[in-house]
């Protein structure tokens, strides 16, 4: 079950590959995510040197009064990936036309994990075809129920 989900990413991008990563978070950010607060919209992953970071994601503090005054809800968050996965992310970042986007944040045991996808942007006509196919499938399921 996903705690946070980037719902528009599957409409705007064609997901080529998915990777699971750990997140470096503060305790009050973890509590906030487990309550369902936060947004992955507009987020992306960048690789700098031998590290990968999640940028453009908003995670508010769980209790604003108890958070430090210097807390930034859109700060870059470090991702916990193996060396081969970091190399894979940086290679995709260097490749033209590919981007790395966050798909969802979910529980795995006690830990929070981030599912990220290496994706290629869709053209407008591809999006229209996907919407048309989804509507046709929905109509077929409705007809089969009746």
């Amino acid at each position: 079950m996903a705690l946070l989900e980037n719902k528009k990413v599957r409409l705007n991008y064609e997901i080529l590959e998915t990777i699971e990563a750990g997140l470096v978070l503060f305790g009050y950010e973890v509590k906030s995510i487990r309550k369902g607060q936060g947004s992955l919209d507009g987020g992306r992953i960048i690789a700098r040197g031998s590290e990968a970071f999640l940028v453009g994601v908003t995670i508010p503090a769980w209790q604003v009064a108890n958070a430090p005054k210097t807390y930034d809800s859109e700060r870059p968050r470090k991702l916990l990936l193996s060396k081969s996965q970091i190399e894979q992310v940086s290679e995709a970042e260097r490749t033209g036309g590919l981007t790395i986007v966050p798909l969802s944040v979910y529980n795995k045991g006690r830990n929070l994990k981030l599912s990220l996808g290496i994706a290629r942007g869709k053209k407008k006509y591809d999006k229209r075809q996907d919407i048309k196919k989804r509507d046709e499938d929905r109509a077929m399921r409705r007809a089969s129920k009746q």
Side-chain angles (χ1 to χ4, degrees):
M1 179 181 113
L3 300 171
L4 295 178
E5 197 167 351
N6 196 348
K7 295 178 182 175
K8 289 212 167 199
V9 76
R10 299 210 186 266
L11 176 67
N12 295 328
Y13 296 99
E14 174 189 358
I15 307 300
L16 304 175
E17 190 172 347
T18 60
I19 300 171
E20 180 182 76
L23 284 164
V24 177
L25 298 170
F26 295 126
Y28 44 85
E29 291 177 327
V30 173
K31 289 180 179 181
S32 177
I33 289 174
R34 288 199 172 135
K35 288 288 184 181
Q37 299 173 351
S39 173
L40 295 176
D41 294 337
R44 59 189 176 91
I45 286 81
I46 57 171
R48 296 293 174 254
S50 61
E51 297 178 331
F53 295 93
L54 175 65
V55 295
V57 171
T58 303
I59 300 173
W62 182 55
Q63 292 177 331
V64 179
N66 293 339
K69 299 204 184 320
T70 60
Y71 176 67
D72 181 17
S73 64
E74 293 191 7
R75 70 179 180 87
R77 291 163 178 90
K78 187 175 178 181
L79 297 178
L80 304 173
L81 294 167
S82 67
K83 287 182 182 180
S84 61
Q85 289 174 328
I86 290 173
E87 183 60 36
Q88 187 178 9
V89 166
S90 63
E91 182 66 32
E93 190 177 35
R94 283 184 292 228
T95 305
L98 294 182
T99 187
I100 302 99
V101 292
L103 301 175
S104 64
V105 176
Y106 56 92
N107 279 330
K108 188 170 186 182
R110 290 184 61 223
N111 302 321
L112 291 181
K113 298 290 185 174
L114 173 74
S115 174
L116 55 104
I118 298 173
R120 177 177 291 123
K122 286 184 183 178
K123 303 285 186 209
K124 198 168 192 175
Y125 57 85
D126 290 333
K127 293 179 193 179
R128 286 184 189 141
Q129 287 175 352
D130 287 347
I131 292 170
K132 183 178 178 183
K133 183 179 179 206
R134 188 174 55 216
D135 289 343
E136 289 173 355
D137 290 343
R138 189 179 301 131
M140 285 176 45
R141 277 188 269 129
R142 282 185 191 147
S144 67
K145 282 184 180 179
Q146 294 173 356

